[in-house]
Amino acid sequence: FTVNLEPIYAPIDGYADAIAAAVARLSAATGGGKVAVVGHSMGGLVSRAYLRKHGGQLAAALVTLGTPHHGTALAPFGFGRNAFEMRRTSEWLGGLRAFEEGGWPAPVTSIYSHHDNLVAPQTSSELAGAVNVGLGGLGHMTLLFSPRVADAVAAALAAADQR
């Protein structure tokens, strides 16, 4: 199941319900169990917002790919509310971090590239309390097509299955 984050310039929290609906549909389609949520870029922030708003009752794991967990220096050049929320000093990111200080409702893995061309600095993809997997030689969009990333996602999901 995939989710398109629309409208494109909306606040990040506004997308959390779309993730919740997709998670519920996938859970129902597969027998009512928990499902893994994988989010790329801002989709990882949306997935964290989903966990904050809806909890982890249906989430077996969260895997993020190239997500600017601590914002990106390029956000001031973006348009819309979500770009504003991805600024490194945004109150929205601070609120998300404050919520997560009590721990995660599901295992979290952040997979990112040391050569990401949109998340700056690239260490912004490292997330406290998560398993952080840094890879080299991949651009931001290349994360979606890399066999190394696919292997890392599979490993993260297998590890979450063991918990």
Side-chain angles (χ1 to χ4, degrees):
F1 286 66
T2 61
V3 177
N4 289 323
L5 303 178
E6 297 174 325
I8 60 173
Y9 299 126
I12 294 171
D13 283 330
Y15 303 123
D17 291 338
I19 301 298
V23 166
R25 283 193 313 274
L26 181 56
S27 176
T30 58
K34 291 186 172 191
V35 301
V37 178
V38 179
H40 173 253
S41 195
M42 183 180 72
L45 294 174
V46 172
S47 298
R48 288 172 60 198
Y50 154 74
L51 289 176
R52 175 173 57 178
K53 184 173 183 180
H54 295 278
Q57 297 87 344
L58 292 179
L62 169 60
V63 179
T64 66
L65 308 175
T67 296
H69 292 297
H70 304 286
T72 176
L74 298 178
F77 300 104
F79 296 101
R81 181 69 183 189
N82 52 44
F84 183 80
E85 291 169 343
M86 287 187 281
R87 290 178 183 215
R88 294 189 45 81
T89 59
S90 84
E91 288 182 32
W92 186 86
L93 285 172
L96 192 59
R97 279 191 299 276
F99 166 76
E100 295 162 345
E101 286 178 2
W104 296 96
V108 178
T109 301
S110 175
I111 301 169
Y112 65 97
S113 173
H114 299 291
H115 300 100
D116 194 310
N117 51 336
L118 292 178
V119 177
Q122 291 79 17
T123 55
S124 181
S125 290
E126 295 175 358
L127 189 57
V131 174
N132 293 290
V133 180
L135 302 171
L138 299 168
H140 189 72
M141 296 306 292
T142 308
L143 290 165
L144 295 170
F145 306 101
S146 166
R148 288 187 295 153
V149 172
D151 290 344
V153 170
L157 298 178
D161 248 2
Q162 301 303 314
R163 294 183 192 165

